[in-house]
Amino acid sequence: MTRKERWQTLLDLLVERGELEVEPAAEALGVSAATIRRDLDQLAEQQLLVRTRGGAVMHGVSYELPLRYRTSRRAAEKGRISETVAALIVPGEVIGLTGGTTTTEVARALAGRADLATGSPALTVVTNALNIAGELVIRPQFKIVLTGGVARPQSYELTGPLAMEVLGQLSVDTAVVGVDAFDPADGAATRHEDEAAMNRLLCQRARRVVIAADSSKLGVRAFARIVATDAVDILVTDTGLDPAVAAEFEAAGVEVIRV
């Protein structure tokens, strides 16, 4: 296991448990306690956790992993979801991509499509995610439109009045939206109201709204609502979705694709 893999595993365990002790963590990862102590010290230096005498704890209830440390969670499911979402996009479309791990994978899947290798442009991509723009801007067949705004270091997303002003002047064919929660009764939501406002506006500016989310985010609620369920056209998720919840989404008019 590489250092990066250890760090990702330690941070995942910390999110799940709320705290970590050195010895159990060393046993779980199959490394020495000294290695875990060094890892925790280095993660603390990056302000990703708080060191304690016997291990580490999270910063608090608002703790959120930066996106680069969340990409490995449910990677197989996100890979299938992203490939399926990318296949829904028609060459020549204007698409909107919100920030997030799954939407980042969608961007990579689009970059890998052979039929999008040429064109003028093959796609126009509107995004408020710095990392997505950075990955796609090197593809000359893609026209990249990046909103202005204030960057959130956790998700690399631009939010605020500047971002809203730019996005409000654009029209999008398909919006691909990442969420923290999507419930048939309560709609799509995220943990932060500024992100919710940006995502809501993107949905309003789009002809078609596609939510890309693994099943752990479905049938649950989050703090800030993005849109009501009936504003979503397609949900792409994994096969772990409860059939009863899937039926509720379909009853609300959402096409559910499980992969």
Side-chain angles (χ1 to χ4, degrees), residues 188-241:
T190 185
R191 289 187 290 268
H192 302 281
E193 65 276 8
D194 53 349
E195 290 181 17
M198 278 295 293
N199 295 356
R200 184 182 311 115
L201 180 57
L202 178 62
C203 292
Q204 292 169 352
R205 303 302 301 164
R207 295 179 183 271
R208 178 175 65 163
V209 176
V210 178
I211 285 185
D214 66 73
S215 57
S216 69
K217 298 177 179 178
L218 304 177
V220 297
R221 302 166 62 192
F223 171 67
R225 187 161 88 161
I226 300 170
V227 291
T229 301
D230 61 8
V232 177
D233 297 290
I234 301 173
L235 165 65
V236 182
T237 187
D238 58 77
T239 55
L241 175 62

Side-chain angles (χ1 to χ4, degrees), residues 41-61:
D41 287 341
Q42 291 168 331
L43 290 169
E45 289 175 3
Q46 297 186 50
Q47 299 184 354
L48 294 171
L49 51 77
V50 176
R51 283 288 269 125
T52 62
R53 183 178 180 85
V57 297
M58 300 193 305
H59 279 289
V61 295

Side-chain angles (χ1 to χ4, degrees), residues 25-74:
E27 183 177 349
L29 273 65
V31 297
S32 68
T35 296
I36 294 298
R37 291 190 185 94
R38 285 194 298 270
D39 287 342
L40 295 180
D41 287 341
Q42 291 168 331
L43 290 169
E45 289 175 3
Q46 297 186 50
Q47 299 184 354
L48 294 171
L49 51 77
V50 176
R51 283 288 269 125
T52 62
R53 183 178 180 85
V57 297
M58 300 193 305
H59 279 289
V61 295
S62 62
Y63 179 86
E64 181 183 4
L65 286 180
L67 181 142
R68 64 184 179 275
Y69 291 112
R70 290 187 278 128
T71 53
S72 66
R73 300 173 64 181
R74 303 181 70 89

Side-chain angles (χ1 to χ4, degrees), residues 89-104:
I89 304 304
V90 177
E93 272 196 281
V94 178
I95 70 166
L97 290 173
T98 67
T101 56
T102 306
T103 49
T104 298

